[in-house]
Structure formats: C-alpha cells, structure tokens
C-alpha cells in the first residue's frame, strides 16, 4: 500500500513512517521542513521524500500520484502563545487540509486517516451527584486566579466527578487550536460525503515519546517537563498538578495509524469515523511530572499554581471503540513509557509547525 504521510518528518509523522515500513508498506513523506519546526535538517526515515507545504496544490497533486491512502499529520500544534497565532493555526491546519482534500478529490484518492485531537471536546465528562452528566462551561479567570481549579456543576454548583469521554460527546473547542482541529474533521467529513470517500479521525490524547520537540511553546506538557529536566531545572507544574490526562506513547499512536490506514478501506463510504486514541490509563499532570523527573534523576517538579486560559481541567479518553472496531491495543505502559522518554533524545525546535 502506497501511503502519503503529510508532516511525515515531524514527531508523530516520523514514527508512523517507520511503522509503515515495518509493515511492508510504501510511505511517501510530504513535509515543508519549516524552520519553526525544523531549525536544522532532521533525520529523515528511509522513504521517498517531497519537500513541500501541504498548502501548495501543485506539490500535493504531484505527491498523490500512485497513492492509495493519505495519512494527514501536517499541522500547527499546541495551545500556542496568544491569539496572534490564530492566522497561523487556521492557515496551516484548515487551509492546508482543504487544499489536500481538494487535490485528493481530483486525484480520486478516496481514503484518509486524519490526525485528530481530544481538544475538540473541551472539558471531559463530568457527573454531578444530583444532576447526572453535566457539561461545565469555560473556567473563569477570577476562579483560577484564587486557585479554584475544579469545574462546578452548572446547575447547583456542587463538586463534580470526572470520567471518560466517548466519541459521541458534544464538541466544545476552548481555544484556537481546538477550533482548527474540529474544522479539519468537518472538512474531511464534507469531502467524504462529496466524493464517497472513507475517512477516519484518530483523536489523539496526550502523545509523548522519543523525538518530541524541545523548548517550544507549541509542544505538549510532557515536552515542557523533559526540556526543563534537560536544562537542569525543575518541571513547572501549573495549577495544583491534579489535572487528569491520558498520556499515550508515540509508538502506540503510530501503530493506531497503521491499523486505521489498513482498515479505512472497509469503512462505510461517504463517512468520517472518529476514534479516541489514548492509553486507557489516566494520570494527573503532577504524577507524570514526578514519574519523568524520577526516571531522569531529578530535579523534582515544582507546583506553581499558574494557569493558562484555554486549558481544560480534566480530559481522559474512552478508547474502547478503537479497540473493538479495529483491534488496536496500546503496548507501552505509563512507567515504561516515562522511563523511555526520560532517556530518549528530543529534537531541536525553534517554534510551531510539525
């Protein structure tokens, strides 16, 4: 199977290319190698390589020749620095996806696996003892400033119990990045309906592992902590460290992509199917920082009480659908994965696009 992997030189994309090669597939990498993400030449996988931006229709058209299925990873990632990043996110993520899908339609490539994200949900699933399942709104700045981090029941103000969020939960993106990731899914669903295509969105939870970019405001929290440790500094844990996340190793995410790429041809025509892609073993951010610091050899994390607007409190995955439909299972446990990440190298990074 010949697979076009956009963003295939990036953190997750490069692991997908390696996994595809191991399964006997023929990956083609399309990556702009923008200096913001690749300040120096990256180590490219042993695959055909096209240096081009996914927004370049001519380059995408050429790269699609002979391709059976597309694995779309190219994106600007993370929460970013401030709203000034909005045009960059929309251009890279949404315009780039629209150009890719238009060229796929013209080339009659009808299968797509998209790098989705759990950020499309906003807050995760919460239960109130009195009102059952509820959806709290965005947290208020005045609450966060005085350390009231936990969302409360919007009906009675009671404490809530966080749970696992499923793919059928309502969408509620809380920042620009999240909004662009949801727009990518809507574009892919429209493409599928128009051309009788088949699409899968893998909604990644907190991906970490070897090759994460370092020292960038656009990476995930695991990268922030690992970068601090490499500088000899304590990881700075925001809020009180009790935020719950699902940390999933990049090798497991790569294997999920390979499984989805092999199975997407059997999906119903004209549809997009979303799958949560998580470890199924939630941990707090504080637990992750402690495990990583311990495996690295210190220094210990510092809980700061700081916060970022747009962050959500708890978001953890129910990945049962991916396991049941496609037979995928994560293989890297939390302790093993953090020990692996603590020893692994990070890629140099100057900024934003991966």
């Amino acid at each position: 199977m010949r697979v076009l992997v956009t963003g295939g030189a990036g953190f997750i994309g490069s692991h997908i290319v390696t996994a595809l090669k191991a399964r006997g597939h023929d990956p083609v990498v399309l990556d702009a190698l923008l200096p913001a993400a690749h300040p120096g030449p990256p180590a490219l996988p042993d695959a055909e390589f096209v240096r081009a931006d996914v927004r370049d229709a001519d380059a995408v058209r050429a790269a699609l020749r002979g391709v059976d299925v597309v694995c779309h990873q190219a994106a600007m990632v993370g929460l970013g620095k401030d709203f000034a990043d909005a045009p960059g996110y929309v251009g890279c993520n949404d315009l780039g996806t629209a150009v890719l899908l238009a060229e796929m339609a013209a080339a009659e490539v009808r299968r797509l696996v998209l790098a989705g994200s759990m950020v499309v949900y906003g807050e995760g699933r919460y239960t109130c003892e009195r009102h059952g399942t509820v959806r709290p709104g965005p947290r208020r700045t005045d609450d966060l400033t005085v350390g009231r981090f936990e969302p409360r029941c919007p009906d009675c103000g009671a404490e809530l119990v966080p749970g696992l969020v499923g793919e059928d939960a309502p969408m509620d993106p809380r920042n620009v990045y999240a909004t662009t990731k949801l727009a990518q899914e809507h574009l892919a669903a429209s493409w599928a309906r128009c051309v009788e295509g088949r699409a899968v969105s893998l909604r990644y939870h907190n991906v970490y592992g070897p090759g994460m970019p370092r020292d960038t405001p656009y990476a995930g929290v695991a990268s922030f902590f690992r970068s601090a440790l490499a500088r000899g500094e304590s990881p700075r844990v925001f809020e009180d460290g009790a935020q719950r996340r699902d940390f999933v190793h990049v090798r497991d995410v790569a294997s999920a992509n390979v499984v989805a790429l092999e199975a997407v041809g059997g999906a119903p025509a004209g549809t997009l199917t979303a799958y949560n892609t998580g470890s199924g073993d939630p941990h707090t951010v504080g637990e992750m920082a402690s495990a990583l610091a311990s495996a690295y050899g210190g220094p210990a994390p510092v809980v700061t009480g700081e916060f970022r607007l747009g962050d959500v409190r708890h978001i953890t995955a129910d990945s049962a659908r991916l396991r049941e439909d496609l037979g995928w299972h994560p293989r890297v446990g939390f302790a093993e994965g953090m020990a692996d990440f603590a020893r692994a190298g990070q890629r140099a990074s100057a900024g934003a696009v991966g």
Side-chain angles (χ1 to χ4, degrees):
M1 186 168 65
R2 187 168 172 84
V3 184
L4 177 63
V5 184
T6 70
F11 165 48
I12 297 174
S14 60
H15 282 274
I16 293 170
V17 170
T18 299
L20 285 167
K21 293 281 290 187
R23 286 281 293 179
H25 297 299
D26 179 21
V28 180
V29 173
L30 186 145
D31 199 300
L33 299 185
L34 296 179
H38 303 281
L44 298 175
D46 180 21
E48 182 179 337
F49 179 74
V50 178
R51 182 169 184 171
D53 195 300
V54 73
R55 291 167 288 188
D56 181 341
D58 292 338
V60 171
R61 188 178 310 125
L64 283 168
R65 293 191 186 112
V67 163
D68 301 299
V69 58
V70 172
C71 182
H72 184 31
Q73 304 294 314
M76 185 170 173
V77 300
L79 187 60
K81 293 181 288 188
D82 53 42
F83 202 81
D85 288 327
Y89 278 108
V90 173
C92 290
N93 298 357
D94 298 339
L95 177 58
T97 298
V99 171
L100 173 66
L101 293 171
E103 293 305 322
M104 288 176 64
E108 298 187 353
V109 177
R110 298 290 187 258
R111 289 180 281 166
L112 171 72
V113 173
L114 172 68
S117 176
M118 54 83 179
V119 296
V120 299
Y121 299 115
E123 287 286 351
R125 183 178 185 274
Y126 292 90
T127 303
C128 171
E129 185 176 45
R130 179 179 174 187
H131 293 99
T133 300
V134 296
R135 293 189 59 78
R139 296 181 294 170
R140 300 187 305 171
T141 302
D142 54 352
D143 285 335
L144 297 171
T145 301
V146 297
R148 290 194 291 264
F149 301 123
E150 292 290 344
R152 294 280 179 156
C153 176
D155 297 316
C156 67
E159 293 184 4
L160 299 174
V161 177
L164 301 180
V165 62
E167 291 89 349
D168 296 328
M171 303 292 100
D172 188 15
R174 299 286 174 90
N175 54 59
V176 171
Y177 170 61
T179 301
T180 65
K181 295 306 290 183
L182 181 56
Q184 283 186 307
E185 288 197 2
H186 287 321
L187 287 165
S190 295
W191 164 84
R193 286 192 297 271
C194 287
V195 304
E196 287 293 290
R198 293 166 166 86
V200 162
S201 177
L202 297 177
R203 291 176 180 164
Y204 303 158
H205 281 248
N206 289 72
V207 186
Y208 73 96
M212 283 194 90
R214 66 172 183 262
D215 299 322
T216 166
Y218 300 92
V221 66
S223 177
F224 297 167
F225 293 165
R226 180 65 174 76
S227 297
L229 290 166
R231 297 192 301 268
E233 301 171 2
S234 295
R236 294 177 62 81
V237 180
F238 280 14
E239 301 187 18
D240 58 1
Q243 312 93 299
R244 287 168 57 83
R245 296 291 188 270
D246 187 319
F247 299 99
V248 57
H249 197 276
V250 67
R251 288 198 298 270
D252 285 330
V253 170
S255 72
N257 274 273
V258 174
V259 167
L261 287 161
E262 292 175 341
V264 67
T271 64
L272 179 142
T273 304
Y275 291 105
N276 286 334
T277 307
S279 71
D281 182 24
H283 290 269
T284 69
V285 172
E287 289 170 344
M288 187 272 285
S290 295
L292 189 58
S294 176
Y296 188 85
V302 174
V303 177
T304 69
E306 298 171 271
F307 61 88
R308 298 191 305 176
L309 287 177
D311 275 346
V312 298
R313 180 61 173 174
H314 304 294
I315 177 69
T316 53
D318 181 353
S319 300
R321 179 185 290 178
L322 182 56
R323 291 166 171 79
E324 293 167 2
D325 286 5
L326 302 186
W328 172 82
H329 296 278
R331 304 295 182 191
V332 183
F334 179 76
E336 175 192 353
M338 288 299 157
D340 174 56
F341 185 40
R343 295 188 295 266
Q346 291 180 271
R347 64 174 62 205
S349 178
V353 183

